[in-house]
Amino acid sequence: MSPAPSTPAYRRLSVEERRAQLLDAALSLFAQRVPEEVSLDDVAEAAGVSRPLVYRYFPGGKQQLYEAALRSAAEELRHCLDEPHEGPPLSRLARVLDRYLAFVDQHATGFTALLRGGSVVETSRTTAIVDGVRRSAAEQILGHLQVTDPGPRLRMTVRMWITAVEAASLIWLDEGRQPPAEELRDWLVEQFMAVMGVTAARDAQTAALMRRVRAFEDG
Amino acid sequence: MSPAPSTPAYRRLSVEERRAQLLDAALSLFAQRVPEEVSLDDVAEAAGVSRPLVYRYFPGGKQQLYEAALRSAAEELRHCLDEPHEGPPLSRLARVLDRYLAFVDQHATGFTALLRGGSVVETSRTTAIVDGVRRSAAEQILGHLQVTDPGPRLRMTVRMWITAVEAASLIWLDEGRQPPAEELRDWLVEQFMAVMGVTAARDAQTAALMRRVRAFEDG
């Protein structure tokens, strides 16, 4: 077999490869600009292809491309949230937050536009994609805490904390990424423990859980 | 002067009164149904007027009516957040939360649709209206705490807590208004103290503030 040509421009891409390439180009544009400021021409130019080719792959135009890029970003974010079930739970949470904040940092403008809402490309479908990530984040946390049947107070606490983390990342971007990511990460872990502690005083399941987490951290 | 006729249907309304009546009708429809399920005919019927009359007052149709209703709901919510600067700060917070949860309860469907996002009537204008209420809520809290120049950590903590309260109210509605409003209110106040306590360990301004709040509560 002869080696693949080294100049990408001359290589013929498979349908799958071409689709992935267009998505990559769209994703990096949507990550750094508000959707209103990304045109199909921009995507075509960034991918080094013609506008009709973009339409051939995404006949629904910008809306379809945006949703596909969002789905792909959601997949990437979900991947960030994956963490082995090993070691002290709070260190795992800290590592996940490190990766989450790096993701937020890289996708700043798109992330902000998406979560701020009111964008022309926002639909019940895009909202559902974002909600899916929030749901997996909650499941991840409960999984790490080895809770299989979370009661309403525990679930509400975890979901509230996740929303607070989202709010924190938007504010963090607004404030020129202050405080530094490591400080924000530690602060968010402390807030998690604080709100779980408050719920523990009202909910036996959360109380038992907190005893386990603290024993792990101290042991 | 002769008394005004007592049957409202026969009374001729002023332009202002008519507008207010149409807005009231729209507001109660948008509070209880998702915007997709409210038509101008519904508003006309609820107000007991013709569809052309609705258009005369709101030539922009449903979108304009929705935004006007939202503005009026935002005004009402802002009014709920008003609380005299008297008595222990945490009791004030509890009273504001009581009124907030009553508002959420009354505007359940509309509130949920609005904050969930992805609705066809959502625009950067509707987002700005909601953000305006969030901003006043933060200012109210800092005002009650007698902070005139909040640092970034204190501001972030207050804004995160406000977002968490919003998340809690959406979950609360989803879960059939469980836990009971009084329990949720106390729990949210406790969370406020817990996250402020965490920030106090990292921020001198918040630490001083918390000492004042605790002294007030204990005194």
Side-chain angles (χ1 to χ4, degrees):
Chain A
M1 262 169 57
S2 60
S6 60
T7 320
Y10 291 106
R11 195 161 94 69
R12 217 189 153 81
L13 301 180
S14 73
V15 168
E16 271 317 296
E17 285 171 327
R18 179 64 82 192
R19 205 186 123 85
Q21 183 214 13
L22 293 176
L23 261 187
D24 264 2
L27 192 53
S28 62
L29 287 169
F30 283 123
Q32 300 305 332
R33 296 193 208 160
V34 298
E36 284 73 3
E37 284 169 11
V38 177
S39 70
L40 277 197
D41 282 328
D42 295 332
V43 176
E45 195 189 321
V49 302
S50 68
R51 188 187 157 97
L53 187 78
V54 179
Y55 263 114
R56 201 180 319 147
Y57 280 79
F58 297 95
K62 181 160 129 179
Q63 184 68 33
Q64 190 189 1
L65 201 50
Y66 179 77
E67 289 183 20
L70 179 57
R71 241 174 247 118
S72 143
E75 210 33 67
E76 192 183 329
L77 180 49
R78 231 184 277 260
H79 190 72
C80 283
L81 305 179
D82 262 338
E83 170 69 28
H85 286 220
E86 284 163 23
L90 295 186
S91 314
R92 299 182 212 168
L93 189 58
R95 281 192 297 270
V96 172
L97 283 169
D98 280 336
R99 291 194 297 272
Y100 169 75
L101 290 172
F103 177 92
V104 169
D105 182 36
Q106 280 154 28
H107 296 77
T109 313
F111 181 84
T112 308
L114 178 68
L115 293 186
R116 284 268 148 80
S119 160
V120 289
V121 292
E122 193 184 342
T123 63
S124 52
R125 277 191 308 277
T126 60
T127 305
I129 296 170
V130 178
D131 278 342
V133 179
R134 289 183 182 126
R135 242 191 331 271
S136 351
E139 280 160 19
Q140 282 283 332
I141 290 176
L142 293 168
H144 279 280
L145 297 173
Q146 295 175 288
V147 180
T148 47
D149 193 17
R153 283 167 186 76
L154 176 54
R155 256 187 296 132
M156 202 190 237
T157 309
V158 169
R159 288 172 63 187
M160 286 172 72
W161 180 78
I162 289 170
T163 314
V165 169
E166 265 181 49
S169 22
L170 286 173
I171 300 168
W172 183 64
L173 289 177
D174 269 356
E175 307 256 332
R177 292 161 171 85
Q178 284 300 319
E182 301 70 39
E183 183 185 338
L184 179 56
R185 173 250 283 152
D186 289 342
W187 188 15
L188 293 172
V189 172
E190 290 162 12
Q191 290 194 14
F192 179 76
M193 289 301 281
V195 292
M196 290 288 277
V198 163
T199 302
R202 302 186 159 268
D203 180 59
Q205 183 184 37
T206 310
L209 189 59
M210 290 304 278
R211 279 194 295 275
R212 273 216 315 278
V213 170
R214 289 213 182 86
F216 210 131
E217 297 298 319
D218 299 339
Chain B
M1 263 170 57
S2 60
S6 61
T7 320
Y10 291 106
R11 194 159 93 71
R12 215 186 155 83
L13 301 180
S14 73
V15 168
E16 271 317 295
E17 286 171 327
R18 180 64 83 192
R19 203 186 124 84
Q21 182 213 15
L22 293 176
L23 260 188
D24 263 2
L27 193 53
S28 62
L29 288 170
F30 283 123
Q32 299 305 332
R33 297 191 207 161
V34 297
E36 285 74 2
E37 284 170 10
V38 177
S39 70
L40 277 196
D41 283 328
D42 296 332
V43 176
E45 195 189 322
V49 303
S50 68
R51 187 187 157 95
L53 187 78
V54 180
Y55 263 113
R56 202 181 319 147
Y57 280 79
F58 297 94
K62 182 161 128 177
Q63 184 68 33
Q64 191 189 1
L65 200 49
Y66 178 77
E67 290 184 19
L70 179 58
R71 239 174 250 119
S72 144
E75 212 32 67
E76 192 183 329
L77 180 49
R78 230 183 278 258
H79 190 72
C80 282
L81 304 179
D82 262 336
E83 169 70 28
H85 285 220
E86 283 164 22
L90 295 185
S91 315
R92 300 182 211 168
L93 189 58
R95 281 192 297 270
V96 172
L97 282 169
D98 280 337
R99 291 194 298 271
Y100 169 75
L101 290 172
F103 177 91
V104 169
D105 183 36
Q106 280 155 26
H107 296 78
T109 312
F111 181 83
T112 308
L114 178 68
L115 292 186
R116 284 268 147 80
S119 159
V120 289
V121 292
E122 192 184 342
T123 64
S124 51
R125 277 191 307 276
T126 61
T127 306
I129 296 170
V130 177
D131 278 342
V133 179
R134 289 183 183 125
R135 241 191 333 269
S136 349
E139 280 160 19
Q140 281 285 332
I141 291 175
L142 292 168
H144 280 280
L145 297 172
Q146 296 174 287
V147 181
T148 46
D149 192 18
R153 283 167 187 76
L154 176 54
R155 258 187 294 133
M156 202 190 240
T157 309
V158 170
R159 288 172 64 187
M160 286 172 73
W161 180 78
I162 289 170
T163 314
V165 169
E166 266 180 49
S169 24
L170 286 174
I171 300 169
W172 183 63
L173 291 175
D174 269 355
E175 307 255 330
R177 293 162 171 82
Q178 284 301 317
E182 301 72 38
E183 183 185 339
L184 179 57
R185 172 251 284 152
D186 289 343
W187 188 16
L188 292 173
V189 172
E190 290 162 13
Q191 289 193 17
F192 179 76
M193 289 301 281
V195 291
M196 290 288 276
V198 163
T199 302
R202 302 185 159 271
D203 180 59
Q205 184 184 35
T206 311
L209 189 59
M210 290 305 279
R211 279 193 295 275
R212 272 215 316 277
V213 171
R214 289 213 182 86
F216 211 130
E217 297 298 320
D218 298 339

